[in-house]
Each structure stands twice: as C-alpha cells, then as structure tokens.
Amino acid sequence: MMSFSFLPNAVLVLCVGALVQMLGVAIGRNVARDAVIGLLVLVASLVAVSMPTVLYMAGSVALFAPDVWASYSAVLIILSAIAIHIMSWRNAVVSDATVGSEYYLLLTLATLGGVSMTGAVHDVSFFLGLETLSLPLLGLIAFRNGRIDAGEAAMKYIVLSGVASAMLLFGFALTYLETGSLRFIAPNTGDMPEPLLATMGTVLVLSGMFFKLSAVPFHLWLADVLEGTSIPVAALVAVLSKIALFAAMVRYFASVNLYMSGPATNEVIAVAILSMVGGNLLALVQTDLRRMLAGSSIAHIGYLLVAFLSPGPLSFASSAFYLAAYSVSTLGIFALMAGIMPQGTDIRDWHGMFRRRPMAAAAMSIMLLSLAGIPPAVGFFAKFYIAAAGMAGGRLGLLLILVMSSVIGLYYYLRVIRIMLMPAPVERPEREVTSPWFGNGALIAVLACVTLLFGVFPGTLVDLGRNLIVMPSPPPGSSGQP
Amino acid sequence: MMFALPALVALPFFGGLAAWLSDLRGPARTPWLVSLVTLALQALLLVDLSATTFGPGWRAHFAAPWVSMLGIDIRFDMDGVSLVLLWLNLLIAIPTVLLCTRHVRDRPGLYQFLLLATIAGVNGVFLSTDMFLFFCFWELMLLPLFGVLLIWGHADRARVTLKFFLFTQGSGLLMLLSILALAVINAHDTGVLTFNYFVLAQVAGHSFLAPTIMLGFLIAFAVKMPMLPFHVWQPDTYAESPTAASVLLAGILSKTGAYGMIRFVAQMFPSATAQIAPLMIALGVIGILYCAWLAVAQDDVKRVIAYSSISHLGYIVLGVFSGTRVGTEGAVIQMVAHGLSTGALFIIAGFVEERTGTRDMRRLGGLWPAMPQFSAFAMFFTAASLGLPGIGNFVGEFMTLLGAWQISHVATFLAAFGAVLSSVYALTMMKRIFYGPAVIEGSQPLGAPSTPHLAVLGVATVLLLVLGFYPQPVLDLSTPGSLHPQSLSLAEEPAR
C-alpha cells in the first residue's frame, strides 16, 4: 500500500495512537486497557514502517527522508519499545492504578520522538523529535514519585538535557547564520565565508548529541539516571534513545568526509576513545548492576563510533548490526532484572543464581557474553563486524584501544557470571527472587534465542544490513536553498 | 565421508548436550555413559578418517557457505598434523571423562557437557581453514572451560579463572585484528572479501605488513601455549583447576597454541618467521631454563608440573622456529609426547591429592608402599618427562634440538642443559612424594587405584614407549600440508 502524507507512516500512526491513548485516559482509567491500546499502537506503527511512503512535500523543504536507514532504525526503536512495554507490565510502579495509564502514553510519545528523529532531515523536525523523546522521558524517569532518587535522577536528566538542547540550538543557529540553511546536515566548512563559525556550529551540534548519547566526557548523568529510575525506564534510556540519537548522528554526518582530519572528526575520535576507555573503567568499579550497564552502554557507544569513523562499505552495515546486537542483549538484561529481581540490582544479590534459577541465569549469561563479545552470542559477530569496518577504514589505533577496553569489559561482564555461578557468602541474606509474568518470560526467551541464533547464523541480519551500505540519503534538492 | 570433518566438531558437542539432558532424569551414571559412547563414536570416526585418507598434504576437506556477504565459510581441511592432534585430543579426552565419576558428584551432566564442548572446540581449531571460523573456535573452546574451572575448581578459583580468561581472550582479540588486516589487504588487492586460509596465506606471504600482522597471531599463540613472557596465568590456573581441567589445559589446549604457531605463523609468514626466529629461539631457551629453575623451587605438585610444562613447551618453540623440517617434525612429536606424559602426571597428582588431601610436597612423602602401582607409573612418567631415551619425549626433544642446531649452536647447548634441570626437579618431586619415611599419619593403604585409572595410565605408557621406539608413523604425518596453489586440489574447490 502506498500512502501520501507529509509525515512518514510510522510517525503518523504513533501520533494518532498517542491521541487515542489520551482520549482513553480522559474517558476513564483502566490500566489494563490502556496497556493493550499502547501495545496495539506500537504494533500498528511497526506495520506502518514496512509500508513504502511517498512523502508529500509541503513547500520546498523536506522534513523527513523515508529511506532504508530510517526504516531500519525505526524498526529497532519500535521493537525495543514493545520489549520495554512488555517488561513494564506488572512492574510495581506501573501497576499503580492512579498513574499507570499515563505511563503507556508517555512510552508511546517517547517512541514517537525516536521514530521521527530517525528520518529527520531538517533541523526543526530533528529538534521536535528530540524533544518529543526527551520530555516524556523526564516524566518516565520521575515516575516512581514516592522515591527520592527518582526525583534526583529526573532533575539531573532535565538540567543536563536542557543544556544539551541549548547547545544543539546554538549550533543550529550558527550553522544557519553561516549557510542560511536549516538542513539537518553538517555544513561543508571549506567554502564558507566564515569557516570558523560553521565549524563551531558543527562542534556544538555534535556536543549536544554526545550529551544525549552520554558519551564520555558528557556521560556523568547516565549512571545516576539508570540507578534512580525503574528498570524498564532505564532500558528506555539505555537503548531506545541511544538508537534514535545514533541514527540521527549518522545522518547528520552523511556529508562530512570522516577521513579528513578536521575539528568535527577529531572530536568524534577523541570522544570514541574516551568513551571506550572511560565507559569500561566506569563499569569496572560498580557494584550496582544498573550502574554497570550504564558504563557498558557508554563503552558500546564508543565501539559504535569506531564503525562510524570508518567510512566505507562496511561502516553503516556494521553499525546497524551492532545497534541491533547491543539492543537485544541490553534489553534482555533489563528484562531479566525486571522479571527476576526488580528490587535487587546489587550484583551480590545475584550470587548462586545458577542454582536458584538456572534458566534465568543461563539467559543472563548469554546476554552478558553477547555484550562482552564472546561467541556464540551475537555480540561477538557484531564486534567482529565493527573491527572489520575499522580495519577497512584503516583505524588501527582506534581498534587497538577497542581491543584493550574490551578486555576490561570482559572482566566485569564475566564477574557477573562468576557471581551467578558461585554460592552466596553465608553472612549475606539471599534476596527473594520473583517469577516474571508470562509475557516477560517469553520476551526473555525470545531475546536469548535471538542472541544465540543471530550469533550462529548472522547471515540474515548481515543481508538485511546490506541495503544500508548506501548512505542515508540527503534530502531531495540537496544543493538548494531553504 | 564428506561430512566427517564437521561431524568431528558436532559429535562431541551434541553428545555432551545429550549427556546434560540425560542428567535431568534417570540414574546418575547415564551422562557418564553417554559421553563415553560419544567418545567411542568419535574414535570410530577418526579410525575411519585415518584409514580412508592417504598421503602427505591435505587429506580431507569440507566447505559450506556461512555468511556469504562477508566471504565467511564453514571450511575444514585436515592434513597429517591435524590428524595427529585430533588423535591426541581424543586420547586426552577419554581419561578426563572416564575418571571423573569420583570427583564430580555435583551436576555430572553439566560437567560432561562442558568437557565435551571444550573438546569439540579444540577439534574445530585443529580443522578450520576459514580464519573467521578458526577464531570462533579459538574463543569458543575456552568458554566451557571457564565454567568447569569456576564450578569445580579449588579454593582460589574465582581470581585465577578470570585471570586465565582475560589473558587468553585479550590476546585472541589481537589475533582478530591480524586476521582482519589480512582480509582487508586481500580485499584491497583483489576486490574479494574472503577469510579463506589458503587465499589469505598468499597475501600474508607478499604483504610488506607481514611482520606486524604476524605479531598478532604470535602473541595469541604464545599466550595460549604459554611461552615465557606470557606465562603468568598458567601456573595458577593449572594449580586451581580440577584434575580433568588441568589435564585438558596441559594436555591439549597448550597444543592449540603450538599448532597455531606451525600453521598460522611458520607456514603463513615464512619470511617474517625467519626474521623473528632468533628472538623466539632465545625466548624458548630462556623459557626452558628459567621455568625449569622455577619448577625446582616449588612445593605444590601441580605447580611443579605446570612449570615443567612451560619448560618442555620451549622445545616446541625451538623446533618450530628453527625453520627446519626435522625441527617441525620434532615439535609435533614433542606435542604428542608432552600431552600424554603431562596429562598422566596431572592424573597422578590429582589422585594423590584426592587420597591424601594435599598437594603440598612438604606434607607428603613415603607414598610408595601405600600406592605401589601408582608410584611405579609416576616413576615412568617422570622419566618420560625428563627425557629418558626410549620414551617419546626424548625423540621430540632430540629432534627439536637437532633442528635448532642448524640455527644456533649456543642456543642448542643451553636448551640441552634444560634436560639436566628437568632431571633435578622431576627426581626431586619423585623423592619428596613417593620415597622417604611416610609422613601421612597411619600406614593404612591409600586405597587401590580403580581399574580405569590403571588402564588409562597403562595405555599412555604403551603409547609413549611406541612413540619412543618407533616414531615413524607420526613422523610421516607431521609435515604440514603445503600451501602451494598447485597442491591445493582439495582445498581450492570453491565454496559457493
């Protein structure tokens, strides 16, 4: 089915869905019904992504580019949102009947923001998407309103997110000043009257994005936010918003030759190195599983940047593969935490898990192995793919740092597996484990199977990524004025 | 016959899986029986393979596409060296499975699965000729051992296991970079992305980056083996492992490093190997002497064997990097002999520990009257390890020294001196454990060894003697298959 609109299908479906959910809340509260509606909206948007869109151009400025890259990242985002939706159900916080309905509404809105960012080719559409993602996220982070640390996390998030948005806007303004264009693409600084201003614009936009991606040295909020909020929301911050931002960043830099050493390229290189090393070191010393995952997620952004910095046939394909692998494994760990031990995120609470819950411990080990990049999990192939892209791009120095920091990473991932294998020390009381509800159990099983299957047979996902070898397209009429 | 090679990898894995599943219900002995049947089937497969394939060079081949987008295939080739090491792997695997009933009462099915999965991974390493697949197996074979060490290891296992894993995996990642560099250079030159060993070997021969790329491989193998500057993980790991894991680690996993040096360093990068040979021979000699010296000073039985193991592996380095045919053949013989004798010594050490409750030689002594059969076997394997003529180890050491003689007289002289030191620590160990007055309280016999124990040690004895007196069959096999394009009739057929 073809459709003509000036919004991509998925964005349209999510907008309408959010309206329906609001209407539902206005008519009467029923958490179960609202949860089902939320799920249906997400599934419908997933269907909508797969339909080809012909965008109706309002005026001469394109707002969205419905290309393969956008669809791929949108599918990833929506699938993650569905996973988060499933693991939220029966979560103690969300089940609160007085506020539960809004939770699903906010989840839909955040997804809407993420999906619009993936296709945005205009500063305005990108910024609207970003804020549509960030503001619901604030509400979700503060959702445990009885808890003091939720408030702390939300405050940290809103202040730093505001700073990041301000930097982005300033960057856009400088770019506009220099080029007179609001196209969401890094300006070519070579032929500008004031190259310095254009460069500053790019660097500011980049820094704003790194803030939101929580790459080192803009990472300080992530661990606190993940620790303060509930587990499904932590998954949202760690997975969904990162996919959206990374997808947008790739599009923003489609115009820049990343081989050429320049201010922007240098910043990305520095941030990649710092993120790989810093993220892993941060995770190394943590005793809380969520804080450890925060460090690990920072490190994985660093690995992704290595692929991003190695333009070539493998670059986009490998980042696409890596995003999928990272999302599956990280979501799996969060789903397990939400299902097995929602209150116990201290690593020591997981002592002896292989005896108490062998299947859950096995699934957890698979996810951790995947993040650590050990066969047969999909993370191994993903890391291999990234390394191949880096090698093809001649980024040997970055790859050596990737290897070194991966070894640090191995240590803390394996430490968790070791703790799950070893019996608990006697003096420490065992924390009670709960059974995940059926849907979450199924989700964990599916994610674990996907991690293993794509690890052993990565061919399908690689073929899927082949389409992405073509760079994300600049908007039509790319040479023109706004 | 086409599927014999992948079957060698799949069979132990699925057999182990069956053993694990059979443990969920049914009597406690079923998993043990299932794994024995699996190994028996593997033995039949190997007999069949040995009987139906002939000649020097590549004897069997299998290829199927895997990730065709990136030029990754499932690709197995077997030459004589692989065949010898596959047999060694099987011979080492049998006792680890056969003798485990006593120590492992806790979750025996899982234990069998992990052991057999390791064996499957090692088989994969010896057979893969797709570099990506090789790397997969290289990393994969460690994972089950990680579990074995953590669940069934000794007191200090937590720290030691992580150390072991970090060392081996970290060095493996360096090898990954080297593999990728080769693939990328090849793709750059020919426009085809492939991980085929034979194709990449051609690139490796020509590229001016060869010395750098080779280092990645070399470090990975040197850590796994281990060689001198990279050995710090090894004594701890061997000492804290359960017996079966020690036997596997010393018997076969160290040989994957040596195998890699022959196949992926010496064969792939002949000129770069020749350049670095003096350094490697020097390190090999220092390793032989230094670790023998360290072995003299140890009180822990397993640590003595661990250090002696590094020392003896030095001869393999000497043989491989001598660049001579006799040296390489000697290295293969040394691998087999060392695998058998060290494995047997670890079994004996494990038995002593199990019966007396200690590995500390200061608290042992005079065990000969209490366990006469075992003491006799211990004497034999000690003699093997110190290189008594007539036993396989002597042939291996002599041939590697013969190879090294053509490169450096001084190095050979010093390396030969290692044999003196090895007599010192080996005989000291014998004396402290088995001779002298009995130290353990009460003179009750420590229990006769079970028939499987005696059978396993007996078979190892016979094999070492055969290897010592008539090594020709192994020598015939131990020339690696050539990489020359015209000799690749088996290996060259396209995968897709």
Side-chain angles (χ1 to χ4, degrees), chain A residues 141 147-158 224-225 228:
Chain A
I141 291 169
R147 295 275 304 265
I148 184 81
D149 48 355
E152 184 199 329
M155 277 310 289
K156 257 189 191 145
Y157 180 75
I158 191 66
D224 293 334
V225 169

Side-chain angles (χ1 to χ4, degrees), chain A residues 355 369 374-376 380-381 384 387-388 391-392 400 403 407 410-411 414 418 421-422 456 458 462-463 466, chain B residues 66-67 69-70 106-107 132 135-136 139-140 143 150-151 157-158 162 165-166 169-170 173 176-177 180-181 195:
Chain A
R355 266 173 210 286
L369 289 179
I374 296 173
F380 165 70
F381 192 84
F384 160 79
M391 194 56 89
L400 284 175
V403 164
V407 175
L410 273 178
Y411 177 80
L414 291 175
R418 187 183 81 189
L421 274 172
M422 310 272 272
V456 181
V462 172
D463 288 346
R466 170 166 48 182
Chain B
W66 187 14
V67 188
M69 258 292 288
L70 298 178
D106 173 29
R107 288 183 282 180
F132 178 77
F135 182 71
C136 259
E139 302 273 282
L140 206 53
L143 200 57
L150 264 186
I151 303 177
R157 60 186 187 264
L162 271 185
F165 209 72
L166 289 187
Q169 291 274 351
L173 287 175
L176 174 64
L177 292 190
L180 284 171
F195 287 85

Side-chain angles (χ1 to χ4, degrees), chain A residues 11 13 26 30 39 145-146 169 173 191 195 240 257 316 346 399 435 474:
Chain A
V11 175
V13 170
N30 181 341
L39 190 60
N145 45 12
L169 282 182
D191 47 4
L240 196 151
N257 181 356
F316 291 110
D346 194 311
L399 284 182
S435 283

Side-chain angles (χ1 to χ4, degrees), chain A residues 138-444:
Chain A
L138 172 72
L140 288 170
I141 291 169
F143 217 79
R144 300 205 294 184
N145 45 12
R147 295 275 304 265
I148 184 81
D149 48 355
E152 184 199 329
M155 277 310 289
K156 257 189 191 145
Y157 180 75
I158 191 66
V159 170
L160 288 173
S161 171
V163 171
S165 297
M167 282 167 83
L168 273 173
L169 282 182
F170 191 31
F172 288 150
L174 286 178
T175 316
Y176 182 68
L177 173 72
E178 200 53 37
T179 62
S181 153
L182 279 176
R183 282 180 57 227
F184 181 61
I185 197 151
N188 188 357
T189 50
D191 47 4
M192 297 291 157
E194 282 288 348
L196 188 62
L197 280 186
T199 306
M200 271 177 68
T202 313
V203 167
L204 277 173
V205 171
L206 201 54
S207 305
M209 287 185 180
F210 282 143
F211 246 117
K212 302 259 178 180
L213 268 178
S214 75
V216 179
F218 312 105
H219 65 288
L220 291 167
W221 57 276
L222 186 69
D224 293 334
V225 169
L226 290 198
E227 195 187 13
T229 184
S230 64
I231 291 167
V233 180
L236 190 69
V237 177
V239 176
L240 196 151
S241 66
K242 298 215 167 181
I243 303 174
L245 268 159
F246 190 80
M249 198 172 83
V250 166
R251 191 181 295 283
Y252 185 70
F253 274 96
S255 67
V256 175
N257 181 356
L258 287 160
Y259 277 133
M260 294 257 287
S261 176
T265 314
N266 290 349
E267 185 185 353
V268 180
I269 291 178
V271 166
I273 294 174
L274 286 174
S275 298
M276 286 191 281
V277 177
N280 278 316
L281 287 179
L282 179 74
L284 193 62
V285 293
Q286 302 302 334
T287 55
D288 185 291
L289 209 48
R290 280 174 299 183
R291 291 184 79 90
M292 190 198 95
L293 283 174
S296 119
S297 123
I298 294 168
H300 284 281
I301 290 296
Y303 304 152
L304 269 170
L305 288 178
V306 174
F308 175 69
L309 278 167
S310 319
L314 297 177
S315 172
F316 291 110
S318 69
S319 4
F321 193 98
Y322 204 88
L323 271 179
Y326 164 77
S327 313
V328 168
S329 321
T330 310
L331 282 173
I333 293 181
F334 278 113
L336 271 159
M337 280 160 67
I340 304 292
M341 230 194 264
Q343 305 304 322
T345 54
D346 194 311
I347 293 179
R348 284 170 300 173
D349 289 334
W350 291 75
H351 261 300
M353 195 50 85
F354 263 101
R355 266 173 210 286
R356 300 163 75 194
R357 283 295 162 87
M359 292 312 281
M364 183 84 167
S365 310
I366 292 173
M367 310 295 179
L368 287 166
L369 289 179
S370 172
L371 287 181
I374 296 173
V378 65
F380 165 70
F381 192 84
K383 197 169 271 178
F384 160 79
Y385 209 172
I386 290 247
M391 194 56 89
R395 297 281 184 193
L396 193 59
L398 282 176
L399 284 182
L400 284 175
I401 293 171
L402 188 150
V403 164
M404 262 166 40
S405 51
S406 291
V407 175
I408 307 177
L410 273 178
Y411 177 80
Y412 59 81
Y413 294 124
L414 291 175
R415 189 182 54 180
V416 178
I417 299 181
R418 187 183 81 189
I419 280 176
M420 292 197 300
L421 274 172
M422 310 272 272
V426 188
E427 66 270 19
R428 193 178 166 83
E430 284 194 343
R431 198 183 276 274
E432 199 182 334
V433 290
T434 55
S435 283
W437 77 282
F438 168 75
N440 196 5
L443 173 70
I444 295 168

Side-chain angles (χ1 to χ4, degrees), chain B residues 258-323:
Chain B
Y259 169 81
M261 283 198 182
I262 294 180
R263 169 122 319 149
F264 294 102
V265 175
Q267 261 199 297
M268 258 175 108
F269 302 93
S271 59
T273 306
Q275 278 173 24
I276 206 169
L279 176 67
M280 297 304 287
I281 286 184
L283 283 175
V285 170
I286 295 173
I288 292 173
L289 295 175
Y290 175 66
C291 290
W293 187 257
L294 286 179
V296 175
Q298 300 300 317
D299 286 323
D300 183 332
V301 184
K302 276 190 162 180
R303 280 178 182 273
V304 177
I305 308 174
Y307 280 113
S308 84
S309 186
I310 310 178
S311 171
H312 287 132
L313 290 170
Y315 290 104
I316 297 181
V317 177
L318 230 56
V320 172
F321 284 91
S322 70

Side-chain angles (χ1 to χ4, degrees), chain B residues 11 20 35 82 113 133 139 144 172 181 243 256 260 267 289 307 309 315 325 332 367 381 398 416 430 466 487:
Chain B
L11 183 72
W20 189 13
S35 8
S82 312
F113 168 65
L133 188 68
E139 302 273 282
T243 306
T256 60
Q267 261 199 297
L289 295 175
Y307 280 113
S309 186
Y315 290 104
R325 185 174 165 165
V332 175
L367 286 182
F381 290 113
F398 184 75
M430 267 316 281
V466 169
S487 67

